[in-house]
Amino acid sequence: MAEPFRFGHTAFCVHDPLVWKETSDHLIRDSGVNVLFHTSFVDVIMEDNKIVGVIIENKDGRSVIKGKVFIDATGDGDVAAKAGAPYVFGKDGSVQSPTMVCRMNNVNWDKALQISSQEVGEKIDEAVKSGSYDLPRRHIFLFPSPHKNEALINATRIAGPDNAGLYGTSTNDLTWSEFEGRKQIREYERFLKRFIPGFESAYIIDSATQIGIRQTRTVVGEYTLMNDDVIKKRKFKNAIVRSAWPIEAHGTDGVKIVHLDDDYYEVPFEVMLPEKVDQLLTVGRCISAEHEALASVRVTAQCFEEGFAAGYAATLSVKENITPKQVDIHNVRDFMISNGSEL
């Protein structure tokens, strides 16, 4: 993992994607969980507004997994939607733009770190004005990776024809995004090599496994994280996440960032409890939140903590033979704190 990189009033660490996978493998295999890779969720089996099973399909064919509690970590709220939970798409149907990230090698960071993000934006304006570059996003991120001379590049903004918004729940839009994403990272590589000191001899070593989706369905929960909750840094007695990440909204018109000033907000447990459906929790970018609030809470660290809370809440639900909505959140918080969560 790289050294912390400042981002407004907070910071983050860029990781090695292979080490991330290996760490996940280690944690999952040692936990005794039965893992099924290359398996797709198909549908739910419902009884009296409760999920009692899910239909899956893989190379072995179609089968059913029954259970007492289910956690929707699909990102798109696929399980919740099939179960009949209410949901919305972004703000009046407008969702954040997807991005294809990549990694570059042979970067001279001694030189590259001397140029500010504002100067990079000005260079993009210059390149576009020349008529020789097609660079749809001005506000790009260039981050040092854990490996010497390597960079993580978050630069693309994917939109459809005529700058239309794209939906991660549409196969056609996902297909368009994959093609367009790889096209754009090559264009930004060409720009960086020509305009940004330290990138003269750099080259792309890989792209993300798939297009990065920031937002699709937002499942309506027992509580909705409000924009004011983030802006005013609200704290909750039933919180399961603390976050200092800014509102980072990527739209077809650019990137809008609102930093939090040396403080954090908290996320209450109820954002993971879908309305109208029992025996289900949601985690990740489909939790219940207003559009701008989701632009902060959707990032990786927060998703980890949501998964931690949901996993233990599901365990308590099964052990005590109650629904997730009946779980004592203080027991969940105590368990999380005893295992290292900052709450």
Side-chain angles (χ1 to χ4, degrees):
M1 188 173 292
E3 292 297 314
F5 191 92
R6 291 287 300 175
F7 194 82
H9 291 265
T10 185
F12 68 95
C13 299
V14 176
H15 65 270
D16 181 317
L18 177 57
V19 173
W20 179 305
K21 295 172 190 175
E22 291 172 330
T23 302
S24 299
D25 287 347
H26 174 74
L27 290 171
I28 292 170
R29 296 179 78 174
D30 285 357
S31 71
V33 173
N34 182 23
V35 179
L36 295 176
F37 288 132
H38 307 286
T39 298
S40 297
F41 162 75
V42 176
D43 210 339
V44 295
I45 301 172
M46 302 290 295
E47 291 181 2
D48 300 324
N49 291 327
K50 295 181 180 180
I51 300 180
V52 296
V54 292
I55 301 171
I56 60 169
E57 188 155 8
N58 52 31
K59 293 293 186 180
D60 299 312
R62 185 166 289 196
S63 55
V64 169
I65 298 176
K66 292 186 176 181
K68 294 182 178 180
V69 178
F70 294 84
I71 299 172
D72 186 338
T74 63
D76 298 315
D78 289 334
V79 179
K82 287 282 189 179
Y87 61 86
V88 297
F89 278 99
K91 190 174 186 177
D92 301 323
S94 177
V95 297
Q96 293 187 68
S97 298
T99 289
M100 177 69 77
V101 300
C102 67
R103 289 187 298 156
M104 295 184 71
N105 206 349
N106 210 28
V107 177
N108 182 334
W109 279 111
D110 290 336
K111 293 170 64 176
L113 288 175
Q114 302 306 309
I115 185 168
S116 69
S117 58
Q118 180 179 341
E119 290 173 303
V120 173
E122 291 169 355
K123 293 289 187 182
I124 290 175
D125 291 341
E126 179 185 342
V128 171
K129 189 175 181 179
S130 74
S132 299
Y133 293 84
D134 182 11
L135 306 169
R137 178 171 153 192
R138 184 181 189 275
H139 192 147
I140 69 173
F141 303 138
L142 311 174
F143 301 130
S145 95
H147 303 296
K148 184 179 179 181
N149 302 330
E150 189 177 283
L152 173 69
I153 311 296
N154 182 335
T156 64
R157 185 178 79 236
I158 316 301
D162 299 321
N163 205 36
L166 298 169
Y167 287 82
T169 52
S170 162
T171 300
N172 285 335
D173 284 2
L174 287 170
T175 301
W176 169 276
S177 299
E178 295 282 348
F179 281 124
E180 184 67 16
R182 283 186 282 274
K183 175 183 173 183
Q184 283 191 27
I185 63 174
R186 283 299 185 190
E187 187 72 346
Y188 277 96
E189 176 193 41
R190 192 166 72 92
F191 158 76
L192 291 168
K193 290 168 67 71
R194 171 67 178 81
F195 283 86
I196 304 303
F199 281 83
E200 296 90 345
S201 300
Y203 55 91
I204 291 175
I205 53 176
D206 69 3
S207 65
T209 305
Q210 62 185 47
I211 193 69
I213 301 297
R214 292 187 173 89
Q215 182 181 29
T216 53
R217 298 186 189 96
T218 296
V219 179
V220 179
E222 296 289 302
Y223 181 83
T224 296
L225 185 72
M226 308 301 286
N227 297 337
D228 267 1
D229 292 337
V230 176
I231 295 296
K232 295 180 179 178
K233 283 81 75 174
R234 288 203 175 105
K235 315 299 189 288
F236 296 87
K237 292 181 179 179
N238 50 349
I240 43 82
V241 177
R242 284 181 176 177
S243 173
W245 196 253
I247 291 175
E248 181 198 346
H250 294 249
T252 55
D253 57 346
V255 183
K256 297 177 182 178
I257 297 179
V258 179
H259 290 287
L260 308 183
D261 296 332
D262 299 320
D263 202 351
Y264 62 90
Y265 64 93
E266 293 184 327
V267 182
F269 178 67
E270 288 81 3
V271 301
M272 305 190 299
L273 301 174
E275 289 185 350
K276 300 184 179 180
V277 180
D278 290 327
Q279 310 308 113
L280 177 67
L281 300 106
T282 57
V283 297
R285 56 180 166 78
C286 64
I287 63 168
S288 188
E290 282 194 290
H291 180 70
E292 287 79 8
L294 187 71
S296 169
V297 76
R298 62 172 169 76
V299 298
T300 305
Q302 290 89 309
C303 293
F304 278 178
E305 287 290 85
E306 293 158 16
F308 190 6
Y312 190 64
T315 299
L316 291 177
S317 181
V318 172
K319 285 183 176 180
E320 298 173 13
N321 196 29
I322 57 177
T323 71
K325 295 175 183 178
Q326 296 171 319
V327 166
D328 186 340
I329 181 56
H330 299 293
N331 291 337
V332 176
R333 283 171 50 86
D334 288 346
F335 181 79
M336 294 177 70
I337 292 169
S338 68
N339 283 275
S341 289
E342 295 287 341
L343 290 171

